[in-house]
Amino acid sequence: MKTRLNRRLFLALSTISASLILGSKWLEPAFARFSFGQSDPVQSGDVTDTSATIWARNNDEKNAHLVVRISKSPNFQGAVQIIRGSLVSTATDYTGKVNLTGLRPNQTYYYRVFWEQSLFKIRPGGTGSFRTAPAPEQARPVRFVWGADLAGQGWGRNPNLEITAYDGDVIRGGYVIFDVMRKFKPDFAIFAGDIIYADNEIPSEKEIPAEVGGGKWINNPAKDFKAVKIEEFRENWKYNLGDDKFRRFLAETPIYSQWDDHETVNNWYPGEILTEAPYNGLSADVLAATAKQALFEYNPIRGDKIYRRYQYGKHLDLFLLDERSYRGPNPDNSNPNGLEMLGQEQFEWLKQSLKNSQATWKVISSHDPLSIVTGGEGDRDAWGQGLPEVLGREVQLSQLLQFIKSQDIKNVVFITADVHYPAAIFYEPARAFFQDFNPFWEFVIGPIHAGAFGPNDLDPSFAPEYEFLQAPGTQTPKLPQNSPPPNVHSFGSVEVNAQGELTVYIHDITGKVLYKKVLNPER
């Protein structure tokens, strides 16, 4: 819901001085362990050609209405639209969202956030910008980045971390990869899950393996708990938002958010009972519902579903999947009769959305890899389980691939994450156990800032073959598993030019290109 403000409030907002900004008090809430520095965090997301969602948090932690001013001018000159959002309070941990509509396609907008306690008590918040998507018929070039796996395995915000970016710029402290991503000026970013590790503690110090330099990794701040209560899940999101590089990236780059397991707990599935401490018999469904509340509170997601679709001009359609909420039990992932991964409602939505898409490229963001085997025996967590037969969740994947072929849906590409190493995988039906599908590509990235692992085995059902692979176990000499940043850390970028040619890049943490694949569309 949104309402336009009256002229008196417009004038009040317009005359707020810089002294108010500098004089604002930043209060530490009773539970909060992590702060955001001297600015309220802001971000935009779920951008379309005519709409966007603005998110912000009131760090004063007082009941107030979120008010957003938007303009086509960075100086907010000329026409300014003002939208008054809902009241933020303890119910949403003082986070709020405003859905902007009626925007122009392919237009850069600038926004300022204000917190209105009354008509004459208004505090300024953060500022940001975003660019709307091109209209469906527009064929302008588009560039986006995608990443996953942030602050996992105890590798948190280290003030001593230092890298030299691909352009020679030295970047120091915290989540350095976000300053690198900013250099590419992406139209948007996809966060493909594990953007918090609610189930991982972050100690104040951690030993760095000798093979990657040795010494002490310093976490400032540390995080001494695993999340069970809603306040603890919220604190995990605050931990990451306390990094200035991450906040700066979010203020400039619209995002599309998904989730995977660590937003809740490792490898969880609906119906699971969590026996280990600190869960002590808690249902994964109850824990996930709490985790999902925090996810939606701290991300600019529009609506109430994690799976959704966004068209970005003539040549690009994005399909964001939710492979946590509807899956069957991990121990049953060898069932010859099949096992749910998407749930029937999401599965039918995906098939029909792919069939209806008029975009040149259909990019499916699957936070779990298609053929890389994850989890231990009896806990196979992704699509595959390592056997050549089509079993478990692969039955649903085979049905999807078969549908794409039978409906003559062209130019489908998968981007994935989760396994903490980058790879490019080609699928060729002629050599596969199951052959009723068209050849396709899967591109894998990560971690952006967590432990690096791998490589893992490939499930042979659809004949995957690595064209590119870089993991601790493939290096010479081999690096230890759970290597900290900046070792074997990566993110991906995709460019679609005006002619519809799609290029995928895999970058290391410095932005250097490790791998490039140019794909020409099938007309």
Side-chain angles (χ1 to χ4, degrees), residues 142-324:
V142 174
R143 171 188 287 167
F144 71 88
V145 296
W146 87 97
D149 315 314
L150 180 60
Q153 292 74 50
W155 308 112
R157 288 161 48 194
N158 182 354
N160 300 324
L161 180 61
E162 180 178 304
I163 64 168
T164 301
Y166 68 97
D167 61 357
D169 187 18
V170 176
I171 304 174
R172 297 182 179 89
Y175 297 152
V176 295
I177 198 166
F178 288 108
D179 268 4
V180 175
M181 286 180 169
R182 285 179 62 237
K183 293 176 180 292
F184 291 87
K185 301 186 183 304
D187 290 286
F188 60 88
I190 296 174
F191 288 165
D194 293 345
I195 299 301
I196 63 168
Y197 278 72
D199 57 340
N200 282 197
E201 296 176 347
I202 299 177
S204 58
E205 291 185 357
K206 192 174 171 68
E207 291 289 338
I208 300 174
E211 299 93 325
V212 291
K216 295 281 189 182
W217 177 280
I218 304 299
N219 286 307
N220 186 15
K223 177 168 70 81
D224 62 354
F225 61 92
K226 298 178 181 180
V228 178
K229 301 176 182 179
I230 182 61
E231 294 88 355
E232 293 167 330
F233 283 102
R234 289 164 171 168
E235 288 302 308
N236 275 271
W237 291 102
K238 293 176 189 176
Y239 182 94
N240 286 342
L241 285 169
D243 181 80
D244 60 346
K245 296 173 178 62
F246 189 38
R247 288 198 313 277
R248 189 161 52 236
F249 179 83
L250 292 174
E252 297 178 3
T253 313
I255 65 171
Y256 301 89
S257 295
Q258 297 171 270
W259 72 345
D260 196 12
D261 52 341
H262 291 288
E263 280 85 1
T264 306
V265 65
N266 185 49
N267 288 6
W268 76 274
Y269 53 85
E272 183 181 10
I273 301 299
L274 305 168
T275 57
E276 71 275 14
Y279 313 109
N280 301 323
L282 182 65
S283 165
D285 295 350
V286 173
L287 191 69
T290 306
K292 187 176 182 180
Q293 177 183 335
L295 173 81
F296 275 77
E297 287 174 347
Y298 273 86
N299 285 271
I301 300 173
R302 186 184 299 114
D304 60 359
K305 293 187 184 299
I306 295 172
Y307 69 85
R308 51 212 195 278
R309 168 194 174 191
Y310 292 98
Q311 185 165 355
Y312 219 88
K314 179 178 180 180
H315 293 307
L316 180 62
D317 231 344
L318 301 174
F319 301 84
L320 309 172
L321 302 187
D322 177 1
E323 296 161 342
R324 280 289 149 196

Side-chain angles (χ1 to χ4, degrees), residues 75 148 333 427 482:
N75 299 320
N333 202 14
Y427 293 80
N482 196 15

Side-chain angles (χ1 to χ4, degrees), residues 2 4 43-55 68-73 76 79-83 98-112 128-138 254 256 302 310 312:
K2 67 175 187 178
R4 293 183 182 271
Q43 52 186 319
S44 64
D46 282 13
V47 170
T48 73
D49 58 333
T50 60
S51 65
T53 296
I54 303 299
W55 174 98
V68 177
R69 298 177 65 193
I70 61 170
S71 173
K72 297 175 188 176
S73 165
F76 290 82
V80 176
Q81 185 181 5
I82 303 179
I83 301 93
V98 167
N99 293 324
L100 307 177
T101 59
L103 306 179
R104 293 182 62 85
N106 198 29
Q107 173 68 53
T108 298
Y109 286 93
Y110 302 87
Y111 63 91
R112 287 178 178 168
S129 62
F130 64 90
R131 188 180 186 183
T132 51
E137 68 277 5
Q138 289 182 308
Y256 301 89
R302 186 184 299 114
Y310 292 98
Y312 219 88

